[in-house]
Amino acid sequence: MSNWIDACSTDEIDEEDVMRFDHDGRTFAIYHSPDGEFFATDGLCSHEKVHLAGGLVMDYMIECPKHNGQFDYRTGEAMRAPVCVNLRTYPVKVEGDRVLLQVG
Amino acid sequence: MAKRDYSLLGEDSRRAVENGLAAAEWYHTEIPRKEMKALMAREDQPAIRDSIILYGSMILFAGLGIWLWPSWWSAPFWLAYGVLYGSAMDSRWHECGHGTPFRTPWMNVVVYQIASFCMVRNPVTWRWSHARHHTDTVIVGRDPEIVAMRPPALFRIFLNFFGIIDAWNGWARMLLNASGRLDPEEATYIPESEQPKVIRVARIWTAIYAATILQALAMQSILPLMVIGLPRLYGAWHHVLTGILQHAGLADNVIDHRMNSRTVYMNPISRFIYWNMNYHVEHHMFPMVPYHRLPELHAKIMHDLPPPNTSIWQAYAEVWPALKRQLRYEDYFLRRDLPATAKPYREDFHKDALGHAVPAE
């Protein structure tokens, strides 16, 4: 069942950047890719629960600010140690200038 | 306070988990996101330039050392080669382990693998060990990389100026891993999925050392070992000299890097060898900032940090008496005063550690 949440406006996140979004006791990371698309994953690193929104976006990678582990934020795949467990990803759509996130 | 137990499987380890010191949230100086993003940005050029200088110098010095061997005229070139092999490789191992010097990932990997070999640090094991060091910096029983424990083992530290303990342990660990086994403490921080990689690397290294030793035997000369292996001993002094200053004599069991880490201004040669890790408070607070941006980060946040030590020697003038005092009073440490512009320490977070402080003499 779809449950789309209005997360932010499109201009709140620069291209090649990430923003933290908290909703209903959960925390997410929303990404704006270099080609203008939006993506979302769990907000905490699967290694030691650090907020990924403090990290660095490079192309389609998010680097954790604590231990420099990397994920592909499009798929959630863990790409570089010390992260080994993939992130959960969430569908995102843009309506007008709003970014909506589907949380399961 | 009871005697500190530095074992990762001991009582202090259990207590750190119980009282929330393990994997805690640490203090960070506020930096606007845009500025932070700019500081974290990656580029290849500075590290390529530094790597060409480093590896070019190593080839040159080793070449001259071999050419002049066995004359004593070769000694200065071996000393120069040794410090690049046994000390500069420590900082390259460290920085490339973080993956920050180069933007291109494979460049970080290549330098990390070479540096790990030179320092005799298994690249898989030590990646995990260093991750723990960043999670639980100088938390007793959690941090596997505490150099100056309390009471400080001064003779052990002295021996390490010549790599005697660390390199020896590295080679012993390499042989253990090559036999297909892991040390029980290693197994606490290396995920099972990564453990076969530890063994694979150890076997490759064992083969390289065996080939070098066979070559030395065939030549009836230690020359091959002067190039591979021995420089980890005769060139280790600089990385120990600078590395001790990172945390020695400062607080333990706190969650604010301003209390347990030290920034020291250093001469340009030491900074090249050490790849700017003299900005150590800054590095721990923001480990995703590449080495070549640390001076800039330092300038940006110095209003919130204790004043840096002004030179290696000035830092030792502070550290040495503190280490001697810790021989008698394990709870003694140097408390870093903050400038008036800084956010004060959260005394409530650190009551347990600070409450045991012994006043300075």
Side-chain angles (χ1 to χ4, degrees):
Chain A
M1 198 173 100
S2 69
N3 182 20
W4 290 97
I5 309 294
D6 187 334
C8 60
S9 71
T10 49
D11 58 7
E12 275 181 76
I13 317 174
D14 290 343
E15 281 194 1
E16 217 174 8
D17 204 1
V18 56
M19 191 184 93
R20 173 176 167 178
F21 172 63
D22 294 333
H23 174 75
D24 203 15
R26 296 166 68 185
T27 187
F28 304 91
I30 303 177
Y31 308 87
H32 194 173
S33 74
D35 53 13
E37 281 188 274
F38 288 85
F39 297 89
T41 67
D42 280 330
L44 298 176
C45 179
S46 61
H47 173 225
E48 287 200 349
K49 308 299 172 206
V50 173
H51 281 283
L52 291 168
L56 177 67
V57 177
M58 284 180 291
D59 300 328
Y60 300 102
M61 295 286 175
I62 173 69
E63 183 178 285
C64 172
K66 186 79 176 174
H67 299 104
N68 309 76
Q70 290 183 342
F71 300 93
D72 183 330
Y73 57 78
R74 296 169 298 181
T75 60
E77 190 184 355
M79 302 297 289
R80 181 179 185 277
V83 298
C84 300
V85 178
N86 296 346
L87 288 174
R88 187 173 167 191
T89 59
Y90 300 89
V92 172
K93 66 179 179 183
V94 175
E95 283 184 358
D97 67 345
R98 304 302 300 173
V99 179
L100 283 77
L101 174 68
Q102 189 180 40
V103 294
Chain B
M1 186 171 165
K3 204 166 172 55
R4 286 163 171 76
D5 177 1
Y6 287 91
S7 159
L8 303 186
L9 304 167
E11 186 56 24
D12 278 33
S13 178
R14 188 194 58 74
R15 199 177 301 125
V17 174
E18 206 173 81
N19 64 19
L21 277 173
E25 192 160 338
W26 287 65
Y27 175 79
H28 290 96
T29 302
E30 295 293 328
I31 299 185
R33 172 74 187 162
K34 272 196 192 317
E35 290 178 28
M36 197 62 229
K37 237 181 98 177
L39 285 166
M40 291 189 293
R42 302 292 151 75
E43 52 182 320
D44 288 331
Q45 193 275 332
I48 289 176
R49 176 202 62 211
D50 285 350
S51 299
I52 290 171
I53 295 170
L54 174 67
Y55 292 113
S57 303
M58 287 177 75
I59 290 167
L60 178 70
F61 292 141
L64 289 168
I66 292 167
W67 184 48
L68 293 167
W69 184 263
S71 155
W72 278 103
W73 290 107
S74 67
F77 300 106
W78 290 121
L79 291 177
Y81 172 72
V83 88
L84 298 180
Y85 184 116
S87 287
M89 287 300 149
D90 170 64
S91 61
R92 273 58 181 177
W93 159 80
H94 174 264
E95 286 301 283
C96 293
H98 281 286
T100 52
F102 299 94
R103 182 178 171 94
T104 308
W106 69 261
M107 295 184 186
N108 285 313
V109 171
V110 167
V111 174
Y112 182 67
Q113 291 292 333
I114 294 170
S116 297
F117 174 79
C118 293
M119 296 309 295
V120 206
R121 293 178 189 154
N122 190 296
V124 184
T125 307
W126 280 77
R127 189 187 293 284
W128 290 94
S129 146
H130 198 64
R132 175 70 75 84
H133 172 62
H134 272 269
T135 304
D136 297 325
T137 311
V138 201
I139 303 291
V140 177
R142 294 285 300 176
D143 182 349
E145 296 185 6
I146 299 177
V147 174
M149 298 173 178
R150 299 195 208 167
L154 295 180
F155 187 60
R156 181 193 168 94
I157 292 172
F158 169 76
L159 291 177
N160 268 332
F161 272 85
F162 310 99
I164 288 168
I165 306 280
D166 281 355
W168 215 251
N169 284 344
W171 287 316
R173 190 69 62 88
M174 176 186 80
L175 293 174
L176 176 79
N177 294 159
S179 75
R181 288 172 294 159
L182 258 71
D183 179 271
E185 288 209 351
E186 287 175 335
T188 67
Y189 54 80
I190 307 171
E192 267 180 46
S193 61
E194 297 285 295
Q195 293 178 4
K197 295 182 193 167
V198 176
I199 290 161
R200 190 165 59 239
V201 170
R203 287 176 177 162
I204 294 168
W205 286 9
T206 304
I208 295 172
Y209 280 111
T212 309
I213 291 166
L214 283 175
Q215 177 73 14
L217 288 172
M219 290 171 65
Q220 298 282 296
S221 163
I222 63 161
L223 184 58
L225 292 164
M226 289 297 284
V227 180
I228 293 175
L230 289 179
R232 174 63 181 84
L233 306 181
Y234 67 76
W237 63 271
H238 189 277
H239 95 264
V240 179
L241 181 81
T242 50
I244 287 171
L245 297 177
Q246 294 175 355
H247 307 287
L250 301 176
D252 60 12
N253 294 335
V254 292
I255 53 171
D256 187 331
H257 294 111
R258 300 177 300 173
M259 288 176 168
N260 68 9
S261 306
R262 182 184 281 105
T263 287
V264 183
Y265 291 149
M266 291 185 185
N267 66 76
I269 295 175
S270 286
R271 276 179 52 197
F272 175 78
I273 294 170
Y274 197 24
W275 249 11
N276 280 345
M277 274 308 108
N278 52 308
Y279 296 104
H280 213 67
V281 182
E282 294 82 350
H283 167 66
H284 267 280
M285 224 182 241
F286 300 106
M288 61 289 189
V289 174
Y291 75 95
H292 52 87
R293 303 299 295 272
L294 286 176
E296 214 178 313
L297 172 63
H298 170 68
K300 216 173 268 296
I301 66 173
M302 64 189 300
H303 66 276
D304 199 35
L305 309 185
N309 292 89
T310 52
S311 70
I312 293 175
W313 307 116
Q314 188 263 344
Y316 269 98
E318 167 187 280
V319 168
W320 178 242
L323 294 181
K324 279 200 301 185
R325 186 109 202 262
Q326 285 177 347
L327 289 173
R328 284 176 290 137
Y329 305 108
E330 286 183 36
D331 291 338
Y332 176 71
F333 67 94
L334 295 162
R335 190 182 159 119
R336 314 289 275 165
D337 289 329
L338 290 169
T341 48
K343 257 195 191 159
Y345 297 129
R346 288 283 304 266
E347 301 281 341
D348 50 330
F349 280 6
H350 306 117
K351 205 159 36 183
D352 200 36
L354 303 181
H356 293 286
V358 177
E361 276 174 335

